[in-house]
């Protein structure tokens, strides 16, 4: 999901479950946020591959949030990139790409 913020372009995502190379990361994204579940399970080789891919993307700032946290989260696969809630002045966004990436496996 692309989020314009104070002159920056943030690209936030979660729940790629090993399909991260299928993401179309916008060239103008200068801040990347991964909100967890980058790999399927906890395989050190898969994690190493993910971080090699993630750090090779040109960006001014990369943030990795392991697991579910406030504001940017994943894990709700069925409502990925759709769910937005505002509670007490805080905006919560579901960055799960899992269902979108699974749908596009045949392309």
């Amino acid at each position: 999901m692309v989020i314009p913020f104070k002159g920056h372009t943030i690209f936030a995502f979660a729940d790629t479950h090993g399909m991260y190379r299928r993401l179309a990361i916008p060239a103008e994204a200068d801040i990347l946020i991964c909100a967890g579940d980058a790999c399927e399970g906890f395989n050190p080789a898969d994690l190493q591959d993910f971080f090699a891919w993630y750090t090779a993307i040109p960006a001014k700032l990369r943030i990795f949030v392991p697991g579910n946290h406030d504001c940017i989260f994943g894990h709700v696969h069925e409502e990925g990139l759709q769910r937005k809630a505002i509670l007490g002045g805080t905006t919560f966004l579901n960055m799960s790409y899992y269902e979108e990436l699974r749908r596009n496996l045949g392309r």
Side-chain angles (χ1 to χ4, degrees), residues 10-14 31-35 54 61-65 72:
I10 299 170
F11 182 74
F13 64 96
I31 299 173
L32 301 177
I33 302 174
C34 176
Y54 192 55
L61 178 63
R62 289 175 209 85
I63 301 169
F64 180 75
V65 183
I72 294 177

Side-chain angles (χ1 to χ4, degrees), residues 29-81:
D30 58 344
I31 299 173
L32 301 177
I33 302 174
C34 176
D37 281 352
C39 299
E40 194 67 53
F42 188 75
N43 179 312
D46 290 345
L47 287 172
Q48 185 176 21
D49 183 65
F50 168 75
F51 283 114
W53 170 82
Y54 192 55
T55 58
I57 299 167
K60 291 180 182 175
L61 178 63
R62 289 175 209 85
I63 301 169
F64 180 75
V65 183
N68 287 331
H69 297 279
D70 294 344
C71 305
I72 294 177
F73 63 94
H75 285 299
V76 186
H77 295 173
E78 297 78 23
E79 296 179 13
L81 306 176

